[in-house]
Every structure is written in C-alpha cells, then in structure tokens.
Amino acid sequence: MTIVQPIQIQVAQKVFEAWDKLGVNGRAEKLKKALNAFPEAQRKMAAWQIDNAKQSIAETRVMPGPTGERNELSNQGRGVFLCMSSLEGDMAKVGLVGQVFAALIAGNPVITVGLAGQEIMDMISPVVAEGVVQNIAESAQDSLIEANHLAGIATLCDPAQAQQLSQRLAAKSGLICQLVEETDAENLSVIAKPHYVLRFVTERTVSNNTTAIGGNATLLELGSMND
C-alpha cells in the first residue's frame, strides 16, 4: 500500500539535504539574521542554542585509526522535526523558540504548529530557504505525528502527555521517530542543557584509505632488496 505523506513532509524532505549541507556555521550565519525580530528572552534562548551548537557539533573530529586510514566523525541532521507545545505562558514560548532553533541549527527542517508556531515561522522564514520552516494548523497535528517520514517531535508538555506520545510513536511503522520532550515549563531544565542539541543529530563517520595504490607493495619490494 502506498502511503501518501502530508505535503509539508514532502516539502521539508526536498530542502533537507541542502539545509544540512550548509554546516553549523553556515546555518548559524543565516539564523542569526532573525534574532532581532524576537523579544529579549526568546532572542537570548535562540542565540544560546546557536552558540552552543557551534561549540559542540560544528567540528569534524579526526578519530584514531591504523596507518593508511583516516577516520572522521561528524554530525548531521536527522530529518524533518515537528516542534510544538501544549503548555502556555511566556516561558513556554521561550522554550518553543529554543526547540525550533536547536532543531534548525542541527540541520533539520522544522514544522511548527498553531498561532505560536506561525509567529516563530514568520520571523525565521525571511532568512532561510523556502520550506526550511513551515507551519500547520492544530487540526493537522495528528496527521503529521502519524507520518512515516517524520524524524522527530520536540514538544513542551506535561509528563503524562509525554508518556502517551512516546507510546504512540513507538507503535508507528516506518522511520523511528525521536521524541524530545520538555516537561519543566518554568525552568526549561532540558532545553537549557548543552547536550540538548545532540537529540537532534545523528553521527556520521567517514573512513578514507590514505595509502597510495601499490604503496605497500612497493615498500615490501624495497625492503626485500636490502636483504
């Protein structure tokens, strides 16, 4: 059976690769242009997420390996993220901005929900490519949650809602959908941690053989000539 994906998922998938390939620093350059549009507390949260990502996931690390092999470890986005909140209040809005910026700076296209999400989208969309940030009505939220190609959901909610959503995602088929929940709307104790951005990335390793073709054979031949 062919499953028709919501149009927002299709649009986000088309821009995912290009957005991810910009790298953390390239994405940061664009996202920083949107900061002045946000109220102070939201702006500080967004800026912190950008700076934290630059410090923690921007660098490609060279890993130890055998002679003649170069191994590199880097991060890339997971895919399309749905960012939403069932909590209200000023701090919840700050948290929602933190979710969106963490997902974006990590390399993921984002879909927001409702009026609060629309406000965030309107401030970011002028500085990023079309489709990197989208918004849906609350009535369409369930169809997005059930979409097979949704990579993750970042949500502000109470613990009971988080448990229900976790069970719902576990029962889905297709792509494993990551749940990134924040249940502390007053202190944002999850969103404000340095490792929060790691919930939005997946590791990528690249192994390169740096030995010239035939190099080992030539060295062996030279060694045998000295005997």
Side-chain angles (χ1 to χ4, degrees), residues 38 41-46 48-49 83-103 112 116 120 154-157 180-192 196 200:
F38 288 86
Q42 297 177 25
R43 180 172 66 251
K44 288 181 177 179
M45 170 60 80
W48 185 86
Q49 294 293 346
C83 293
M84 60 189 192
S85 175
S86 62
L87 305 179
E88 298 182 353
D90 291 341
M91 286 304 294
K93 291 181 180 179
V94 172
L96 184 58
V97 169
Q99 286 180 343
V100 171
F101 272 82
T112 61
I120 295 172
T155 180
L156 285 97
C157 60
V180 186
E181 72 270 27
E182 172 62 88
T183 59
D184 182 3
E186 291 301 317
N187 301 304
L188 303 176
S189 55
V190 173
I191 293 175
Y196 179 69
F200 297 90

Side-chain angles (χ1 to χ4, degrees), residues 164-175:
Q164 292 173 359
L165 186 54
S166 178
Q167 293 172 345
R168 183 176 177 183
L169 296 182
K172 285 177 57 177
S173 59
L175 183 69

Side-chain angles (χ1 to χ4, degrees), residues 59-75 203-208 210:
E59 180 184 356
T60 296
R61 301 181 181 181
V62 178
M63 308 297 289
T67 301
E69 184 176 295
R70 179 183 176 88
N71 298 300
E72 297 178 342
L73 176 66
S74 59
N75 296 282
E203 291 183 340
R204 174 174 55 190
T205 57
V206 177
S207 180
N208 296 306
T210 58

